[in-house]
Amino acid sequence: MTAAVSVRELSRTFRRGRRSAAVQALRGVSLSIEPGETLGVVGESGCGKSTLARLIARLDEPTTGTIEILGDDVTHMHGQELRQLRRSVQMVFQDPYASLNPRRRVGTAVEEVLKVHKLADSPAARTERVDELLGLVGLDPGLASRYPTELSGGQRQRVGIARALAIEPSIVIFDESVSSLDVSVQAEIINLMVALREQLDLTYVFISHDLGVVRHIADRIAVMYVGSIQELGTWRQVSDDPVHPYTRALLSAVPHMRLDDQAGPQETPVLGEIPNPADPPSGCAFHPRCPHATALCSEERPALRAVADRLVACHLAAEIVEQ
Amino acid sequence: MSAPQSLMRRLAASPSAVAGGIIVALHLVAMLVAVVGITPYPPAEQHPESRLQGPSGAFLLGTDQFGRDVLSRVLDGVRLSLQVSIVAVAIAAVIGSTVGLAAGFFGRRFDSVTMRVADVFFAFPAILLALAIVTALGPGWRNTAIAIAVVYTPIFARVARGPVLSLRTREYVEAAEGLGFHPARILVVHILPNVAAAIIVQVSLALSWAILTESSLSFLGLGAQPPQASLGLMISDSRVLAATAWWNFAAPAVVVAALVIGFNMFGDGLRDALDPTRENR
């Protein structure tokens, strides 16, 4: 079966002006996502997860590497071809306050998508489809005549989802799409996403800094740190039985609510700061903060290897598993 | 409530916009009177028997050294001033805004080249640049309008470019791109309406500067040519008579000042009324 998304050795380097140092936002990321699957991507801010999302959505072009969507190489598409690709891949943005044009009514915003892609034959059919889409994301079709400023954050994010779904894509990328919402609203939106995934056979890429949120929706989780994947496995493996010291540290930062006072794997919280991506540490990027680091870790960058049924980029993975 | 209605409401609440609007409207009426040709006398008609007369029932604002009616000449001067300024500003606004929008949206080399060219224009004082262009093109109201248009085009390019730069990195513009909208659609439907306010305000302010520039050029004898009635020319011709026949000097001077201040105040009021931070739907 063709993968929905397949990226190989993806790198993206940002350069501000000629003299300043290049920032390697993404350093050789490879992964593939099967149709119908949801891949969660987690990591601290600046780890390159949003860059990865923007590259898969082709809102940005990689410096090196390839991106395949449904078997087609889309790495360097542009113009009309790229606009056609948008029919398959859609993105829902982080900030529901900024991702809608404040001057356009909700209905107009959704209808515009149908108009541009000629997805309904008549104005009447368009209006009907707009109502249908608003209903699909759990909004009262009566809200179509409102301006975005009159809606709550959760409602706006639903409009963002309705706009993305208007195109009938097969892949939807959520870039921190629930991060700016209240916890209760987050849960509602995630339930909506799960329901839509079943109903419309969608493939999701779900980007978040919050592992606690990601494990509710993802089939597999990729943990990123300073531009590369550290651990990639099923949500159960990654969230209940992590191997990489960074994943463990990240998990210990997720608040737990258990009566037996037995939080997940105990690990000391991460010390120190996230390294400057313009000047990443030698070897394993995590070694300056890692409690297990050895001399090898500062010299050689660990490859992503299969350890305990998942992929881990750590020289000491095998020893950690044995413990 | 529709956007134009609420804009009118906010304009009406601004004393500066109301005062400026009234002044501008009065001058537009004056222009209309001259265009229709119902000035008290033909502006160039001489009455040798009544030269340099003070204001009277027959000549409301008196007469000049050739016995021409000052009121009629002021009305016609307003017409010429507004005609030149409106044509000039229209050209500058259309060309300048288009260049600015494109520069901000497409960026890169086109942006750097156009903005450096604009810098070169900015390096010259407006009046000096206009003077040079009129000297090269020759006098006449069309050439004056072209000169003024050239001088103010870079300002519109700058005014349009700024908001585009910040808008194109806005998430909703990126979202439009992600939804597969054509760049032309994004520029016209999603960016232009947000830049329009700044351009409209600039039009009002540019009109006030254009009137000043036009008057200065005629004052220096490079704009309208006699016997045409022009506010700048009238001031220039009568300045030696200021002590003896002050009405000759005062009438056009007051009108130029009123026009410039009127457009300025209206522009300021418009800016406040269109300010998105004060927007509440």
Side-chain angles (χ1 to χ4, degrees):
Chain A
M1 192 162 49
T2 329
V5 178
S6 168
V7 304
R8 263 189 296 276
E9 285 304 316
L10 216 52
S11 294
R12 179 69 172 100
T13 307
F14 293 102
R15 211 173 274 277
R16 294 182 87 90
R18 256 169 230 159
R19 257 169 248 145
S20 61
V23 175
Q24 286 188 289
L26 219 54
R27 308 196 293 159
V29 167
S30 301
L31 55 84
S32 76
I33 307 166
E34 297 306 314
E37 188 188 22
T38 295
L39 176 76
V41 180
V42 289
E44 291 165 280
S45 53
C47 73
K49 54 192 194 302
S50 281
T51 306
L52 179 64
R54 290 170 44 83
L55 285 173
I56 296 174
R58 271 313 317 282
L59 286 166
D60 192 9
E61 209 172 326
T63 311
T64 59
T66 57
I67 308 165
E68 279 180 22
I69 302 290
L70 302 165
D72 293 329
D73 187 339
V74 303
T75 317
H76 299 293
M77 273 189 178
H78 61 273
Q80 182 56 33
E81 243 184 345
L82 189 57
R83 287 194 287 278
Q84 276 307 310
L85 172 70
R86 314 283 190 216
R87 300 282 293 268
S88 314
V89 187
Q90 273 302 306
M91 180 141 152
V92 176
F93 289 84
Q94 170 173 15
D95 185 353
Y97 291 85
S99 55
L100 292 171
N101 187 339
R103 286 173 193 269
R104 291 171 78 77
R105 293 172 201 273
V106 167
T108 322
V110 178
E111 194 184 347
E112 187 179 21
V113 180
L114 302 173
K115 219 187 271 181
V116 167
H117 290 279
K118 302 186 177 66
L119 292 168
D121 304 326
S122 62
R126 272 205 300 268
T127 315
E128 198 180 309
R129 180 79 178 120
V130 168
D131 288 355
E132 194 185 323
L133 282 162
L134 292 180
L136 188 67
V137 297
L139 285 177
D140 176 7
L143 293 177
S145 59
R146 301 286 190 84
Y147 285 99
T149 44
E150 298 171 315
L151 304 185
S152 70
Q155 284 174 322
R156 288 187 216 194
Q157 202 52 288
R158 285 172 196 263
V159 175
I161 296 171
R163 279 191 10 136
L165 293 180
I167 292 187
E168 297 170 35
S170 48
I171 301 156
V172 183
I173 300 160
F174 297 97
D175 184 10
E176 297 272 14
S177 301
V178 297
S179 309
S180 61
L181 305 173
D182 290 346
V183 177
S184 61
V185 182
Q186 269 187 3
E188 280 173 31
I189 299 286
I190 286 175
N191 289 341
L192 172 70
M193 289 169 179
V194 171
L196 290 171
R197 179 176 64 187
E198 310 307 320
Q199 198 179 339
L200 303 170
D201 254 343
L202 298 168
T203 304
Y204 283 172
V205 180
F206 190 94
I207 312 270
S208 178
H209 64 272
D210 187 346
L211 192 51
V213 169
V214 171
R215 63 179 168 192
H216 285 297
I217 189 166
D219 299 314
R220 282 192 302 153
I221 295 176
V223 178
M224 290 186 66
Y225 187 72
V226 197
S228 53
I229 294 180
Q230 303 302 321
E231 184 160 2
L232 176 63
T234 64
W235 72 268
R236 198 172 286 281
Q237 289 166 339
V238 172
S239 74
D240 289 358
D241 180 26
V243 170
H244 198 288
Y246 178 63
T247 317
R248 295 183 164 207
L250 206 57
L251 263 172
S252 71
V254 176
H256 290 272
M257 227 202 282
R258 283 201 182 170
L259 289 175
D260 54 9
D261 203 26
Q262 258 196 326
Q266 286 299 318
E267 189 77 29
T268 43
V270 204
L271 301 169
E273 295 287 320
I274 307 169
N276 177 4
D279 183 25
S282 61
C284 173
F286 189 57
H287 87 261
R289 300 166 82 184
C290 180
H292 307 281
T294 62
L296 179 65
C297 298
S298 60
E299 283 156 18
E300 195 182 312
R301 205 175 144 196
L304 206 54
R305 280 185 298 251
V307 179
D309 298 330
R310 86 223 36 208
L311 298 172
V312 184
C314 176
H315 292 303
L316 306 165
E319 292 145 54
I320 292 171
V321 171
E322 273 168 32
Q323 280 170 12
Chain B
M1 180 173 297
S2 75
Q5 265 178 329
S6 68
L7 174 64
M8 288 307 287
R9 207 162 38 92
R10 268 176 282 151
L11 270 182
S14 152
S16 159
V18 171
I22 290 172
I23 295 174
V24 169
L26 283 176
H27 285 90
L28 287 174
V29 170
M31 181 187 185
L32 199 67
V33 166
V35 169
V36 178
I38 49 170
T39 49
Y41 300 90
E45 193 180 73
Q46 303 189 359
H47 306 269
E49 71 287 355
S50 44
R51 289 190 298 157
L52 290 177
Q53 281 188 358
S56 65
F59 303 102
L60 286 177
L61 289 179
T63 59
D64 66 4
Q65 63 271 45
F66 299 107
R68 295 176 298 195
D69 179 39
V70 171
L71 175 62
S72 302
R73 292 185 65 73
V74 165
L75 290 173
D76 203 45
V78 169
R79 175 194 62 78
L80 183 73
S81 250
L82 284 173
Q83 179 181 327
V84 170
S85 306
I86 290 170
V87 169
V89 171
I91 296 172
V94 170
I95 296 177
S97 313
T98 308
V99 169
L101 279 174
F105 191 69
F106 297 109
R108 301 183 184 212
R109 184 155 290 174
F110 183 70
D111 187 33
S112 351
V113 171
T114 48
M115 286 307 121
R116 289 303 78 74
V117 172
D119 283 343
V120 171
F121 277 92
F122 278 127
F124 294 98
I127 186 69
L128 195 67
L129 187 58
L131 252 171
I133 297 169
V134 172
T135 312
L137 296 176
W141 80 266
R142 281 197 185 79
N143 290 341
T144 312
I146 292 172
I148 296 172
V150 170
V151 171
Y152 292 115
T153 297
I155 294 181
F156 281 98
R158 269 282 159 83
V159 165
R161 173 180 172 268
V164 176
L165 281 185
S166 72
L167 283 165
R168 62 176 299 216
T169 58
R170 287 280 276 280
E171 225 168 51
Y172 71 81
V173 171
E174 192 164 44
E177 197 185 319
L179 286 162
F181 296 176
H182 195 278
R185 180 183 189 87
I186 298 176
L187 193 55
V188 174
V189 178
H190 294 275
I191 291 183
L192 185 58
N194 294 295
V195 183
I199 295 174
I200 292 169
V201 170
Q202 202 59 35
V203 164
S204 184
L205 297 176
L207 276 171
S208 85
W209 308 327
I211 284 161
L212 204 56
T213 309
E214 191 274 333
S215 305
S216 310
L217 287 175
S218 341
F219 181 86
L220 295 170
L222 284 161
Q225 295 300 303
Q228 206 168 29
S230 147
L231 298 173
L233 203 56
M234 289 171 76
I235 297 173
S236 164
D237 286 347
S238 60
R239 83 205 125 97
V240 287
L241 304 168
T244 49
W246 56 269
W247 53 88
N248 255 313
F249 181 75
V254 166
V255 168
V256 169
L259 261 177
V260 171
I261 292 170
F263 273 115
N264 242 311
M265 288 171 76
F266 187 67
D268 279 347
L270 204 57
R271 169 160 45 205
D272 291 345
L274 288 167
D275 189 348
T277 58
R278 285 175 41 170
E279 197 161 56
N280 42 354
R281 279 208 182 86

